[in-house]
Each structure stands twice: as C-alpha cells, then as structure tokens.
Amino acid sequence: MIRRDAAYFVAQHLRRVPVHLALIRSAEACLYAGVELPRPLLDVACGDGNFAATVRAEPVDAGLDLNTAKVREAAARGIYRRTMVANAAALPFPDGAFASVMSNCAIEHMPPLDDVLREIHRVLRPGGTFVCTVPTHNFTRYLVGATLPRAVGFGALGDAYEGYFRRISDCYHTYTVEAWRARMAAAGLPVVRWRGYLGPAAMRAFDLSHYYGAPTLLSKRLFGRWVLWPDKARYWPPERWLARRLVGYCEEDPGEAAAYVFMVCQRDAAPAARPLAAAGAASA
C-alpha cells in the first residue's frame, strides 16, 4: 500500500491522464491508500493497471479484465503477478482463494451485478475484505449539462443530457448509499465502512474538464499517450490552478450527497456500517 496525500495523487495522475480522469482517480486513490488489503489480492476489472500501480507499492497477486488490449498493457506494467482475460461473473479461481478483492469504478458497468458479487464472495476467505468504488444515484445529477438547462427552464434538455452521459458511461447500476449497502449485504458482503466522494462542485468540474481535455483524445489516438507534456501541471498556469482545485475536491467529504461512494465490505462481517471520518481514513 502507498500512503500519500491528495496533492501527490493529483500530481501523478495529471502527468498521465486527462483532467477528468485525474480528478476521479486521485480521489479514489486517497481512499484506497488508507485501507489495508492483505494478500493474496485480486483486482477485478483491472483495466490497464494504472490505478493499481498508483496505490499499491507491491505487486497485486492477480488482475483480470474482459478487455484483451488492456490486460496486455497491465501485464506489461509488472504490477500484477498474474493477469488474465476473464469474466467477473465466473471468476476462474477456487473458493476462498483471496484474502482481499478490489474493484475500482467497475462493477457498475457489469449487468449481472448479483452474479459478480456472489463470485467475489465465493473467492474471498471468511472475514476477507472487498473494497470498491461505485457511482450513486447522484452520478449525473450535478453535471453542468444537466443543471444549467434546468436552471433556465429546459428540464427536458437536462434529462436528455443525463441520459446521454449514462449511455456513454455504460453505467447499469447507480443507487443510493443505502441501496448499495443492501445489495452488498444480500451478497454476504456487508459494508463495514463507507465514504462519499465528489460532491456537486467537483462533478461540475468533472463534466467541464471533459471538454477542456478534448485534445488528449487526439494525442491518445495518434501517439498512444493521453499527455504529451507530463510536466505541464508544474509550468502551465491553467494546469497549476486546476491541480489546486482537484486537491480540494479530493479532500472534501460530501456524505450521502456524493456522486460516488467508497465501500469497505467484509465477508460474513456484522452488517453495521458507518461513514469514514476523513479521506483515506481506515480506522474502525
């Protein structure tokens, strides 16, 4: 585990990914960095491995994803001892194979959610920890493209923007914190700690930064890299200002008004849950 603060994670992400990704991944990194994840550890929907490489100091025992190209990239990073292309609804591991499972901003994209959670429960040892981040019902509520039309009397346009954003995000599951807790408990993975992240102001910035960062789409397509000038956050004034704003957004605690929630679940644990006290906090 890497214990760093928000400024560190923001600086690291701005060197590699667009602003909107730097915002959400930095906030998540702060939270993950405060939780002990005993090995062996499984990363479900590991993607290209960038996130795990940021928050884990030692290799993750296994990582899997459905995207073959991303699995190859993850393997090349060397952060995983074993990578594979596999379906999270049918994990290729025996019962109780892992002491911990992590899945960052992923299970909301999986239609058979209950099957996925049952599989995670199966491969976890009794008392094992499952840590995940997911969007709440507020996920699209605070976007500028939704709030601005409604403010001037065009509610239907705001609704349409929300629907559009959900479609391009491929999010099948966006529930209240209580609904997420109930879903986890039903799968035998009761939430023992949680914390919301990214409130209204942060999500407005998240929405607008998609447009600010549009040129990175071109650089990714042409050169295979989002960011061609990794040090721009140090020398380019707009990026320096953005970095400071992102740190503030990462550190805020919007509670149940959050657009996303970080959850620490424990197999066969008591169902009582309470909010985390601060970003990255992991105390009982």
Side-chain angles (χ1 to χ4, degrees):
M1 179 178 62
I2 299 176
R3 291 189 178 275
R4 305 285 188 182
D5 60 12
Y8 169 83
F9 287 123
V10 167
Q12 291 300 305
H13 280 98
L14 283 176
R15 293 179 60 86
R16 299 192 294 264
V17 298
V19 173
H20 70 281
L21 287 179
L23 169 56
I24 190 168
R25 296 294 172 257
S26 296
E28 290 158 353
C30 289
L31 295 165
Y32 271 85
V35 176
E36 295 288 348
L37 293 175
R39 295 177 55 189
L41 169 63
L42 168 66
D43 187 357
V44 173
C46 64
D48 60 10
N50 180 68
F51 185 76
T54 304
V55 300
R56 303 296 299 177
E58 73 285 347
V60 176
D61 296 279
L64 61 86
D65 201 285
L66 280 175
N67 189 309
T68 302
K70 288 187 176 180
V71 169
R72 287 181 183 145
E73 191 173 347
R77 289 179 180 274
I79 189 63
Y80 298 98
R81 295 180 183 275
R82 180 185 181 189
T83 56
M84 65 194 71
V85 178
N87 191 330
L91 295 173
F93 304 105
D95 296 358
F98 297 95
S100 306
V101 177
M102 62 180 282
S103 187
N104 190 61
C105 245
I107 62 174
E108 69 271 16
H109 302 299
M110 304 176 185
L113 176 61
D114 292 332
D115 293 339
V116 171
L117 294 178
R118 279 194 292 269
E119 278 293 275
I120 290 172
H121 178 276
R122 181 184 64 79
V123 302
L124 266 177
R125 297 171 183 171
T129 300
F130 172 47
V131 179
C132 66
T133 54
V134 290
T136 72
H137 65 304
N138 295 319
F139 167 55
T140 56
R141 176 183 173 191
Y142 307 130
L143 301 174
V144 173
T147 57
L148 185 58
R150 287 173 183 148
V152 295
F154 292 96
L157 186 59
D159 293 343
Y161 188 85
E162 282 200 62
Y164 162 75
F165 206 90
R166 286 178 184 274
R167 286 193 300 275
I168 65 172
S169 301
D170 289 326
C171 283
Y172 297 95
H173 310 282
T174 55
Y175 310 126
T176 65
V177 173
E178 286 305 310
W180 272 116
R181 287 174 54 185
R183 202 77 178 250
M184 296 297 176
L189 297 165
V191 178
V192 294
R193 295 192 296 275
W194 67 270
R195 185 175 186 270
Y197 64 101
L198 301 192
M203 287 306 291
R204 287 193 290 271
F206 176 76
D207 192 15
L208 291 174
S209 63
H210 281 78
Y211 304 100
Y212 170 80
T216 61
L217 295 172
L218 182 61
S219 63
K220 179 69 170 177
R221 183 178 294 273
L222 293 177
F223 306 105
R225 295 169 52 193
W226 293 108
V227 179
L228 298 180
W229 182 20
D231 286 330
K232 65 179 179 176
R234 294 178 57 191
Y235 301 108
W236 182 239
E239 291 285 326
R240 290 205 304 270
W241 180 83
L242 278 171
R244 291 194 296 271
R245 298 297 299 170
L246 264 57
V247 170
Y249 293 141
C250 290
E251 293 176 339
E252 71 175 350
D253 181 358
E256 294 196 15
Y260 291 84
V261 62
F262 170 80
M263 296 183 289
V264 180
C265 310
Q266 189 172 359
R267 179 182 169 178
D268 303 328
R274 61 180 176 79
L276 289 175
S283 57

